[in-house]
Amino acid sequence: MSITQIQENIQTLIANIQEETFIYNLLLAYDTPKSTIKRLQADGGLNLSKNSNEILWKNKLWFKHLESEYLYSAFEQIKTNETGLKHKPRFVICTDYKTFIALDTKTTDTLNIPIEELSRHFDFFLPWAGMEKAQAIYENPADVKAAERMARLYDEIKKDNITTTKEEVHNLNVFLSRLLFCFLLRIQAFLKPHSLPMPSKTTRKPMAAT
């Protein structure tokens, strides 16, 4: 699943929130198999929690739905709860479906946003899709737009270019990192010609006419 498709999935999810299935649909948005979701929903399945408002999925998720007045206190308690954390959930999420709070236990990054803004932070949960999120803090709308365009550019490049070897993947990452540098610092006009060449091995050669 592409990054842009994930973002579109989140936008669709937020547009019509169904509390009973929200967390399952959030996981589906990141290409979690439907068969896995069924196992998570089933009694005695992947969910290690016995509480109706809670999901504890080993190495993946600790989710709690709470009333607004308990939201922040419960979140702080979870962060130090060794009983649950021993299962090493990558993400901790607490929500009342108005406010959305999350912790990445690997990076210690946190989210504390109105739930309708979740699509703007879709990259926070990219590890569920097998991709580590960029270690960047978006401070203004221009930087957010630049990041979104980079994600779309990445998908378009992958469509028409072969990136199967480690060297090709590395070259593509280097190119995108340099291009993102230009977006964020807005210094394209000051760059000398050919100072940031695109690696040639990431471009597919046209087929010879027959």
Side-chain angles (χ1 to χ4, degrees), residues 20-161:
E20 296 80 6
T21 57
F22 170 81
I23 189 58
Y24 304 117
N25 289 332
L26 180 61
L27 291 167
L28 287 170
Y30 289 88
D31 208 23
T32 302
K34 291 182 179 180
S35 58
T36 301
I37 298 299
K38 289 182 180 179
R39 292 177 61 196
L40 195 59
Q41 293 173 311
D43 293 336
L46 296 176
N47 185 7
L48 301 176
S49 175
K50 304 301 181 182
N51 299 322
S52 60
N53 66 331
E54 184 177 59
I55 292 175
L56 180 56
W57 183 11
K58 186 176 182 179
N59 298 327
K60 297 289 186 179
L61 169 70
W62 193 354
F63 170 85
K64 275 195 175 187
H65 165 223
L66 300 136
E67 298 298 327
S68 300
E69 59 264 35
Y70 304 117
L71 193 60
Y72 290 97
S73 59
F75 183 70
E76 292 301 319
Q77 291 174 4
I78 287 176
K79 290 195 299 183
T80 58
N81 187 319
E82 295 183 1
T83 302
L85 293 177
K86 71 179 181 181
H87 298 292
K88 299 180 179 180
R90 176 63 190 265
F91 295 103
V92 172
I93 299 174
C94 290
T95 186
D96 58 359
Y97 299 109
K98 296 177 181 177
T99 300
F100 186 93
I101 311 174
L103 165 71
D104 184 333
T105 60
K106 180 179 179 180
T107 67
T108 68
D109 291 340
T110 59
L111 276 181
N112 183 1
I113 57 173
I115 199 167
E116 61 265 22
E117 295 182 5
L118 186 57
S119 64
R120 293 176 54 188
H121 303 272
F122 73 97
D123 62 325
F124 192 86
F125 298 105
L126 282 179
W128 280 339
M131 297 175 278
E132 288 298 326
K133 56 185 178 292
Q135 300 300 310
I137 301 176
Y138 305 125
E139 296 182 350
N140 59 64
D143 290 341
V144 172
K145 184 173 291 186
E148 292 173 350
R149 288 177 177 174
M150 286 297 296
R152 290 184 172 86
L153 175 61
Y154 174 85
D155 290 337
E156 291 301 317
I157 291 175
K158 291 283 287 184
K159 286 180 183 178
D160 298 320
N161 293 270

